[in-house]
Amino acid sequence: MVLISAQPYDYPVTDNSHCALLIIDMQRDFLEPGGFGDILGNDVSQLRVMVPTLKRLLELFRGKQWPVIHTLECHRPDLSDCPQSKYNRSRGELGIGDVGPMGRILIAGELGNAIIPELAPIAGEVVIEKPGKGAFCNTNLESILRQSNITHLLIAGVTTEVCVQTTMREANDRGFECLLIEDATESYFPEFKQATLEMVRAQGGIVGWTGSSADIIAAMSAHSSPQPVVNIGCE
Ligand code: TIU
């Protein structure tokens, strides 16, 4: 049993729990100029501050051989998985599918759609391509988690109030015990990040917990293997 110091109360990881690190959308499209976040009018440099913190968490999970899941917000080149509503509303000078400085915006396989090099997935880690803001919408994420007996999700990534929060709410409704890592998530709007942290842990943790990377690393490092190793990835 591991207890991670968290809000609204300590987050228990029991000996029967299986815990995964779920990293949402750490893509060039959101963190670099010329990508999707930029064309929506945001200052993308604000998101980079948490990259070293997230890398430390990733190294902990990799060192322990615990499961890591990355997501990518992206669409097929023919846009057949992009609802007209999303296409219409997600536009600046350019929009989804248009050619930008890093290739076609928010399209699978393009340079801008890749995870930033510092956090690039390695063999054995799952990468979920998702057309929505939530990672459970039109993906096989839930079946992968169920097949691997994963019960607990430590959630990081961008942006806090959009894809991260949507995914956390979807996971919570499906019965997963979710902890949002406070200093491993960022928003283009600091006040939206703060509001998200407060709303997920309000009312006794109605969506889950929030906790710091330091408290997670301290609690989880102390245990050589608080959970059976599960390899959910594809080589
Ligand atoms: N616009 C914004 O803040 N986010 C997104 O569109 N996608 C994600 O959060 N990944």
Side-chain angles (χ1 to χ4, degrees), residues 3-22:
L3 270 183
I4 298 176
S5 180
Q7 295 191 59
Y9 56 90
D10 289 353
Y11 177 78
V13 182
T14 69
D15 293 344
N16 295 325
S17 306
H18 291 179
C19 197
L21 178 63
L22 179 59

Side-chain angles (χ1 to χ4, degrees), residues 42-117:
N42 301 296
D43 172 6
V44 294
S45 66
Q46 287 175 260
L47 302 192
R48 293 207 72 88
V49 62
M50 45 73 97
V51 172
T53 304
L54 184 44
K55 195 158 170 53
R56 278 194 292 279
L57 288 159
L58 191 53
E59 282 163 3
L60 170 73
F61 270 70
R62 285 176 177 168
K64 302 273 190 192
Q65 294 185 287
W66 294 338
V68 175
I69 301 166
H70 305 257
T71 70
L72 292 171
E73 183 176 347
C74 61
H75 295 282
R76 296 187 195 125
D78 65 3
L79 295 178
S80 57
D81 58 355
C82 182
Q84 193 68 42
S85 56
K86 180 176 183 181
Y87 181 82
N88 291 344
R89 283 189 283 111
S90 302
R91 303 195 79 77
E93 277 177 33
L94 300 173
I96 296 171
D98 291 344
V99 178
M102 295 186 290
R104 291 183 69 201
I105 289 165
L106 223 60
I107 299 296
E110 299 286 335
L111 177 66
N113 206 242
I115 293 173
I116 59 170

Side-chain angles (χ1 to χ4, degrees), residues 27-212:
Q27 302 164 245
R28 293 190 142 130
D29 259 322
F30 295 105
L31 286 114
E32 293 184 7
F36 186 56
D38 188 15
I39 64 151
L40 293 176
N42 301 296
D43 172 6
V44 294
S45 66
Q46 287 175 260
L47 302 192
R48 293 207 72 88
V49 62
M50 45 73 97
V51 172
T53 304
L54 184 44
K55 195 158 170 53
R56 278 194 292 279
L57 288 159
L58 191 53
E59 282 163 3
L60 170 73
F61 270 70
R62 285 176 177 168
K64 302 273 190 192
Q65 294 185 287
W66 294 338
V68 175
I69 301 166
H70 305 257
T71 70
L72 292 171
E73 183 176 347
C74 61
H75 295 282
R76 296 187 195 125
D78 65 3
L79 295 178
S80 57
D81 58 355
C82 182
Q84 193 68 42
S85 56
K86 180 176 183 181
Y87 181 82
N88 291 344
R89 283 189 283 111
S90 302
R91 303 195 79 77
E93 277 177 33
L94 300 173
I96 296 171
D98 291 344
V99 178
M102 295 186 290
R104 291 183 69 201
I105 289 165
L106 223 60
I107 299 296
E110 299 286 335
L111 177 66
N113 206 242
I115 293 173
I116 59 170
E118 298 96 308
L119 303 173
I122 61 173
E125 295 176 353
V126 169
V127 180
I128 301 281
E129 296 190 348
K130 64 182 187 58
K133 302 303 178 190
F136 289 83
C137 176
N138 292 331
T139 71
N140 60 356
L141 176 59
E142 183 169 4
S143 61
I144 288 174
L145 296 176
R146 302 269 182 233
Q147 279 164 20
S148 312
N149 294 321
I150 288 170
T151 53
H152 286 53
L153 296 171
L154 301 184
I155 304 177
V158 297
T159 61
T160 315
E161 78 282 7
V162 183
C163 291
V164 173
Q165 183 174 201
T166 304
T167 299
M168 186 167 181
R169 288 178 180 277
E170 289 178 329
N172 180 57
D173 278 350
R174 287 164 173 77
F176 296 98
E177 305 282 13
C178 300
L179 183 149
L180 174 54
I181 309 169
E182 295 159 1
D183 51 344
T185 182
E186 276 304 327
S187 169
Y188 302 120
F189 303 90
E191 66 276 23
F192 289 175
K193 172 180 171 177
Q194 188 57 32
T196 301
L197 296 178
E198 288 172 20
M199 72 177 76
V200 302
R201 66 194 178 210
Q203 303 179 84
I206 199 143
V207 187
W209 288 258
T210 75
S212 72

